[in-house]
Amino acid sequence: MSLNMIYIYIMSKVLHIGISSVSGTKIKSLNTVKAVKGKGLLNDRHYKDDNNNIKQITLIEIEKINNYNKKFNKNISPLSFRRNIVTQNIDLNNLVGKKFNIGTVNLKAHDLCRPCKYLQNSLNQENIIKEFLHSGGIRCEILSDGIINVGDEVKF
């Protein structure tokens, strides 16, 4: 008896890119952004020389956002969660401590991106901290300069 196996490759990718030039202001949606090694995303509020490795770029999964919206019957937009990159088809928590790529940009995930009281208050939700404590994304260091585009593949 022969068993034919079919493998389906599901690409992990960038769905949204967002930055804010000033803390507390609305996140601006972009199709492309320049990542600068050791500094962050150009024109983002956290961009600076000799930047802390956990403040350079943040990522969150669309699946976590969609689950929250469904569970609480909400329609909060992905960029309202104030992460730089919204991904699809990847378990970001598994990348903590590892190097990976978004397009041609090399990154290293250092820590989970836990939600804060500011995010909870800005979204006017009482349960953001509880619901996203272990699923609020990851904080990463930028290891090489490059351009990140919506649609770029996330590879590890």
Side-chain angles (χ1 to χ4, degrees), residues 47-62:
Y47 180 90
K48 67 179 185 176
D49 291 335
D50 299 319
N51 199 349
N52 184 313
N53 61 13
I54 66 168
K55 291 187 176 183
Q56 295 174 21
I57 186 172
T58 56
L59 290 77
I60 190 168
E61 301 163 44
I62 191 66

Side-chain angles (χ1 to χ4, degrees), residues 52-115:
N52 184 313
N53 61 13
I54 66 168
K55 291 187 176 183
Q56 295 174 21
I57 186 172
T58 56
L59 290 77
I60 190 168
E61 301 163 44
I62 191 66
E63 293 85 358
K64 304 295 186 192
I65 294 168
N66 290 343
N67 286 341
Y68 178 85
N69 280 333
K70 183 177 180 182
K71 181 176 181 179
F72 295 100
N73 197 28
K74 299 294 178 186
N75 191 24
I76 301 171
S77 71
L79 290 181
S80 294
F81 286 85
R82 304 193 66 78
R83 304 299 184 251
N84 299 120
I85 305 291
V86 180
T87 63
Q88 181 178 37
N89 298 326
I90 187 165
D91 183 352
L92 294 173
N93 287 11
N94 286 334
L95 296 180
V96 173
K98 298 175 183 168
K99 293 179 182 179
F100 65 101
N101 298 326
I102 297 179
T104 61
V105 178
N106 300 314
L107 303 169
K108 182 173 182 184
H110 286 284
D111 197 10
L112 296 180
C113 195
R114 292 166 187 86

Side-chain angles (χ1 to χ4, degrees), residues 25 28-29 39 63 78 126 149:
T25 60
K28 179 182 174 186
S29 178
K39 294 183 180 184
E63 293 85 358
E126 296 180 5
N149 302 289

Side-chain angles (χ1 to χ4, degrees), residues 111-140:
D111 197 10
L112 296 180
C113 195
R114 292 166 187 86
C116 61
K117 191 81 167 165
Y118 173 81
L119 178 64
Q120 184 164 282
N121 291 341
S122 70
L123 293 176
N124 198 25
Q125 302 296 309
E126 296 180 5
N127 52 13
I128 293 291
I129 292 174
K130 177 185 173 196
E131 293 295 325
F132 284 92
L133 186 60
H134 299 289
S135 61
I138 56 175
R139 298 178 173 277
C140 302

Side-chain angles (χ1 to χ4, degrees), residues 9-20:
Y9 174 73
I10 299 175
M11 182 173 80
S12 304
K13 66 180 180 176
V14 173
L15 286 184
H16 302 280
I17 299 171
I19 63 168
S20 173

